[in-house]
């Protein structure tokens, strides 16, 4: 019996036991669909988080004053030891390092914004012109803080604030009061929405000198540094640490974190999570495999006399084995294909329901889901197929 | 040509041994028409199964068409069954899912005959057994006589040298049974060895050689 006839004959058998076949295919399909949908969710969550981080800036190195120390020393050992300020001069020198493309010092505080009788408390970012490219911000109107004009009283408004204070949409060129000083609106940020729990639509940005004066501080809140390339991130980190250690009397009193490290951690955690849910979903495939085995065993028992007949008219054991094998193959193939379609449809529905979540099933999960379905189906058919092939023709013909 | 010598087949029923065949020696020449008769449990079906290579004797030798088939492997026995033996059963043993034409086609598929040639041979068989208008009916839609004709068409499609029939008319009424026997005898006239197992005396008498069995032994062999 050749391969083509084996496949055709087993397909007609599968098709003739309609209910039985449909149920197995459905069980298989649900297993595959579960793998596809759950990995789509997991991978979607991963992409969402990675995307959120990337929106903060690329090749970003962040310098924080103070040292995150979690090891050694007994409580009180560091008492009286105040970390040195991270100053604008520090920032300027960091900016001259060869590994650094640009930098933006950052101060953050809260102040009252008033204009034309309106008043509200806003989050104030003090920085320089390079904050715009480093943080991937965009303007909808006007211009950002002018380069090299840290001393001029400019202010950039978040989109929501611009709308609230200037409903007519003409914010640029207007004067506003922030704290006790007057500022000229130079630009309005494009709406960006919330990113990492920080709504950039409701902030104002002013030059760093004004911010330090406003909040009465010499120390920076953060220093954002963009390395020249992805490979320059680690050298930049080392160079910044070295430079600031020299400037701070040999004391390593700043913390330098790279976004990549944070991102990698999240990436790893969420990839592990995705694999985990894929594994759980795969269990349902194993259950479907057991179902296939059970149904095939019942089929062998039901068709005993038919198997006897096939043997009587000259089918060798290998043909019988292949017939049952091919039946399982068809069932799991149909189940895998249907599950693939169901899973992708499910992921599509999730994307429709939650547009922020890029719930695309990863290719590996689709392939692995369908392959696992085929494998479990075929493995599950080994025992029933062998049992059918071993039947004694005389006993089988009499239905025993 | 069939040559059995000292064939013994023993079945275990619990802790008891039943000698279904007890030293059977029998020669059947090509083209003979033989009936095997005897009461239930006399071993006539077991003898037929051994001749048809469905069952393996516990001892003795079996020579078919000049070659020893006693020690053949299961796969080789399947091939010999396919090429040299045709079975006709009392209960027809048609595959219920397949149409009459598809049932007839089965041995050709097992043999690996190309599809175009298969359909030509099946068409010829459908005509020969007057099943043309029943070709696409399933067994459940066929009468008993039609079912047995499909079974005979299937048994003979590969032109076996021996046709083994176990109570071929057992499930048919008298008139239809006679038609089926006429069909089998026509095949015998065309040169096929015909061996019929039955306990119907009238049926057995139609054969040219009558073998009587009792308790696993041949007790009568007359022409």
């Amino acid at each position: 019996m050749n391969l083509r006839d084996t496949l055709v004959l087993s397909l007609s058998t599968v098709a003739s036991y309609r209910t039985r076949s449909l149920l197995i295919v459905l069980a298989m399909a649900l297993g595959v669909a579960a793998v596809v949908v759950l990995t789509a969710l997991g991978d979607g969550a991963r992409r969402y988080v990675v995307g959120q981080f990337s929106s903060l800036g690329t090749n970003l190195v962040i310098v924080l004053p103070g040292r995150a120390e979690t090891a050694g020393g007994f409580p009180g050992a560091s008492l009286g030891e105040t970390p040195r300020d991270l100053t604008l001069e520090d920032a300027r020198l960091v900016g001259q390092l060869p590994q650094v493309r640009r930098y933006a010092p950052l101060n953050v505080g809260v102040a009252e914004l008033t204009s034309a009788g309106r008043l509200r408390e806003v989050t104030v970012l003090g920085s320089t012109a390079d904050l715009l490219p480093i943080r991937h911000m965009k303007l909808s109107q006007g211009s950002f803080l002018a380069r090299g004009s840290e001393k001029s009283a400019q202010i950039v408004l978040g989109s929501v604030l611009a709308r609230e204070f200037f409903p007519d949409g003409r914010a640029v060129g207007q004067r506003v009061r922030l704290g006790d000083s007057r500022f000229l609106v130079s630009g309005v940020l494009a709406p960006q929405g919330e990113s990492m729990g920080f709504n950039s639509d409701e902030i104002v940005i002013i030059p760093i000198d004004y911010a330090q004066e406003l909040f009465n501080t010499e120390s920076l809140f953060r220093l954002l540094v963009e390395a020249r390339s992805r490979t320059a991130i680690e050298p930049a980190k080392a160079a910044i640490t070295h430079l600031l250690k020299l400037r701070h009397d040999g004391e390593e009193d700043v913390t330098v974190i790279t976004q990549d490290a944070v991102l990698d951690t999240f990436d790893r955690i969420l990839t592990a999570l995705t694999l985990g849910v894929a594994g759980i979903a795969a269990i349902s495939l194993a259950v479907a495999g057991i179902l296939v085995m059970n149904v095939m065993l019942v089929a062998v028992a039901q068709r005993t006399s038919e198997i006897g007949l096939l043997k009587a008219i000259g089918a060798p054991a290998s043909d019988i084995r292949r017939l049952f094998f091919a039946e399982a193959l068809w069932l799991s193939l149909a189940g895998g294909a249907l599950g693939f379609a169901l899973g992708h449809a499910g992921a599509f529905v999730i994307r429709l329901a939650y547009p922020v979540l890029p719930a695309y099933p990863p290719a590996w999960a689709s392939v692995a889901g369908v392959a696992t379905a085929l494998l479990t189906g075929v493995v599950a058919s080994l025992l029933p197929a062998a049992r059918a092939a071993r039947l004694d023709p005389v006993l089988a013909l009499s239905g025993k | 040509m069939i040559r059995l010598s000292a064939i013994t087949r023993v079945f275990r029923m619990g802790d008891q041994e039943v000698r279904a065949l007890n030293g059977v020696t029998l020669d059947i020449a090509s083209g003979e028409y033989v009936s095997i008769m005897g009461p239930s449990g006399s071993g006539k079906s077991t003898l037929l199964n051994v001749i048809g290579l469905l069952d393996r004797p516990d001892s003795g030798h079996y020579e078919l068409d000049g070659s020893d088939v006693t020690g053949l492997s299961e796969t080789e026995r399947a091939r010999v069954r396919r090429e040299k033996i045709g079975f006709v059963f009392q209960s027809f043993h048609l595959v219920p899912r397949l149409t009459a034409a598809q049932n007839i086609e089965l041995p050709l598929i097992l043999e690996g005959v190309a599809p175009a040639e298969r359909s030509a041979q099946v068409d010829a068989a459908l005509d020969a057994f007057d099943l043309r208008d029943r070709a696409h009916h399933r067994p459940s839609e066929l009468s008993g006589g039609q079912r047995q004709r499909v079974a005979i068409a299937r048994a003979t499609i590969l032109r076996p040298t021996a046709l083994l029939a176990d109570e071929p008319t057992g499930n048919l009424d008298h008139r239809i049974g006679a038609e089926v026997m006429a069909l089998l005898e026509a095949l015998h006239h065309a040169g096929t060895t015909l061996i019929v197992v039955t306990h119907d005396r009238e049926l057995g008498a139609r054969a040219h050689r009558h073998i009587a069995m009792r308790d696993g032994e041949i007790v009568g062999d007359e022409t």
Side-chain angles (χ1 to χ4, degrees):
Chain A
M1 193 167 187
N2 62 39
L3 181 66
R4 193 179 153 274
D5 289 324
T6 306
L7 292 177
V8 170
L9 202 60
S10 55
L11 182 60
S12 78
T13 309
V14 166
S16 65
Y17 291 98
R18 198 159 300 157
T19 317
R20 187 201 85 172
S21 299
L22 271 180
L23 286 175
I24 301 187
V25 165
L26 200 61
M28 276 280 177
L30 287 180
V32 174
V35 170
V36 172
V37 168
L38 288 179
T39 51
L41 273 177
D43 203 52
R46 186 186 66 82
R47 281 188 215 210
Y48 175 73
V49 170
V50 170
Q52 291 277 297
F53 268 99
S54 306
S55 73
L56 293 183
T58 38
N59 305 333
L60 205 57
V61 179
I62 302 166
V63 185
L64 291 69
R67 173 131 176 85
E69 190 74 73
T70 55
F74 50 90
S78 58
L79 268 184
E81 189 187 310
T82 44
R84 284 157 194 81
D85 289 346
L86 181 65
T87 63
L88 270 173
E89 185 61 11
D90 288 337
R92 199 180 59 77
L93 290 168
V94 164
Q96 287 172 357
L97 289 170
Q99 298 89 346
V100 172
R101 173 173 290 154
R102 48 191 161 215
Y103 72 101
L106 195 64
N107 272 101
V108 177
V110 175
E112 272 180 2
L113 181 70
T114 49
S115 170
R118 289 175 224 268
L119 180 151
R120 76 165 275 190
E121 206 155 74
V122 295
T123 302
V124 180
L125 262 57
S127 192
T128 57
D130 277 339
L131 182 67
L132 189 77
I134 289 178
R135 281 291 314 269
H136 294 178
M137 287 171 160
K138 287 196 172 55
L139 291 173
S140 62
Q141 291 174 38
S143 55
F144 198 64
L145 304 177
R147 193 170 297 275
S149 61
E150 275 77 22
K151 306 285 183 214
S152 74
Q154 294 176 316
I155 189 164
V156 176
L157 302 180
S159 62
V160 170
L161 291 179
R163 205 166 54 240
E164 281 178 2
F165 280 82
F166 304 101
D168 61 355
R170 280 186 296 199
V172 177
Q174 302 284 338
R175 294 202 170 272
V176 295
R177 181 175 287 275
L178 184 68
D180 294 329
S181 320
R182 282 154 67 80
F183 288 84
L184 183 68
V185 177
S186 71
V188 176
L189 292 173
Q192 287 192 317
E194 204 155 315
S195 156
M196 303 297 295
F198 180 78
N199 192 341
S200 59
D201 294 341
E202 297 190 22
I203 57 165
V204 299
I205 303 171
I206 57 173
I208 185 84
D209 303 78
Y210 283 91
Q212 294 207 332
E213 199 182 306
L214 186 66
F215 304 127
N216 191 25
T217 176
E218 291 275 282
S219 179
L220 296 174
F221 170 67
R222 292 282 188 276
L223 172 57
L224 305 180
V225 178
E226 186 181 320
R228 287 205 175 273
S229 67
R230 202 178 161 80
T231 49
I233 290 174
E234 280 308 310
K237 184 180 172 183
I240 292 165
T241 310
H242 181 70
L243 173 72
L244 294 178
K245 190 173 173 183
L246 280 181
R247 283 186 50 80
H248 292 183
D249 308 326
E251 197 87 49
E252 201 177 313
D253 60 356
V254 294
T255 303
V256 181
I257 56 172
T258 59
Q259 180 174 267
D260 269 35
V262 183
L263 196 58
D264 279 354
T265 308
F266 268 102
D267 204 10
R268 270 204 305 279
I269 291 172
L270 286 163
T271 303
L273 197 77
T274 306
L275 282 174
V277 293
I280 292 168
I283 292 174
S284 64
L285 269 176
V287 174
I290 293 170
L291 186 69
V292 169
M293 172 151 15
N294 179 43
V295 171
M296 298 293 288
L297 283 172
V298 171
V300 171
Q302 266 177 353
R303 306 211 309 253
T304 301
S305 79
E306 183 185 319
I307 294 162
L309 167 86
L310 284 174
K311 291 197 157 197
I313 62 174
S318 55
D319 278 3
I320 310 263
R321 198 177 310 119
R322 274 190 224 116
L323 273 175
F324 278 89
F325 202 64
E327 261 181 59
L329 196 68
W330 281 122
L331 290 172
S332 30
L333 205 62
L338 182 64
F340 182 84
L342 273 181
H344 279 262
F348 178 71
V349 169
I350 290 173
R351 291 200 297 276
L352 280 187
Y354 304 98
V356 288
L357 197 66
Y360 292 94
W364 63 262
S366 302
V367 171
V370 174
T372 312
L374 287 183
L375 195 72
T376 48
V378 166
V379 166
S381 74
L382 288 177
L383 174 70
R387 185 173 285 188
R390 257 204 322 268
L391 285 177
D392 176 73
V394 176
L395 292 178
L397 270 173
S398 59
K400 285 176 204 156
Chain B
M1 168 233 310
I2 293 160
R3 173 166 288 171
L4 300 172
S5 46
I7 296 287
T8 304
R9 180 73 175 102
V10 181
F11 291 109
R12 293 202 150 273
M13 308 282 264
D15 52 357
Q16 244 187 330
E17 280 193 349
V18 178
R19 291 188 165 263
L21 293 178
N22 193 6
V24 170
T25 297
L26 176 66
D27 277 12
I28 297 172
S30 305
E32 269 196 90
Y33 179 8
V34 183
S35 70
I36 302 173
M37 299 191 55
S40 301
S42 60
K44 55 188 192 307
S45 286
T46 304
L47 179 61
L48 199 73
N49 288 337
V50 167
I51 292 172
L53 285 110
L54 276 182
D55 209 349
R56 227 185 243 268
D58 293 305
S59 67
H61 278 279
Y62 178 16
E63 203 179 285
L64 179 64
D65 287 347
S67 58
D68 189 352
V69 292
T70 323
L72 291 185
S73 73
E74 178 52 43
T75 309
E76 289 164 327
R77 277 144 45 98
R79 187 180 50 77
V80 174
R81 280 201 295 271
R82 196 162 67 228
E83 290 170 356
K84 301 197 167 167
I85 311 282
F87 280 102
V88 177
F89 305 97
Q90 176 175 2
S91 52
F92 322 129
H93 278 302
L94 300 178
V95 180
R97 297 184 303 282
L98 303 180
T99 63
Q102 286 170 328
N103 266 288
I104 296 170
E105 193 185 10
L106 268 181
L108 295 169
I109 293 177
L110 292 174
E111 180 70 10
V113 177
E117 201 182 322
R118 281 202 314 245
S119 66
Q121 291 195 37
V122 170
D123 278 349
L126 286 168
D127 287 337
F129 291 92
D130 193 19
L131 289 162
R132 162 71 40 211
D133 55 339
R134 291 281 159 207
H136 302 297
H137 291 240
R138 285 172 207 282
S140 58
E141 300 157 340
L142 300 176
S143 71
Q146 287 165 339
R147 286 185 210 184
Q148 195 60 301
R149 291 215 299 276
V150 171
I152 294 169
R154 183 182 62 193
T156 52
I157 190 92
L158 283 175
R159 317 212 168 284
T161 50
L163 198 52
L164 313 183
D166 194 348
E167 302 281 8
T169 61
N171 281 3
L172 303 173
D173 65 34
H174 189 77
R175 189 176 58 83
I176 303 292
E179 279 175 29
V180 165
M181 280 318 293
L183 209 55
L184 290 174
E185 282 160 7
L187 289 164
H188 156 66
H189 283 302
T192 310
T193 311
L194 178 60
I195 304 173
V196 178
V197 163
T198 182
H199 50 241
D200 181 336
R201 296 198 162 279
E202 194 187 327
L203 202 65
R206 296 168 68 130
H208 305 149
R209 181 177 169 191
H210 316 281
I211 292 169
M213 290 197 70
R214 186 175 302 150
D215 299 333
E217 291 176 14
I218 293 176
V219 293
D221 185 350
E222 44 194 62
T223 346

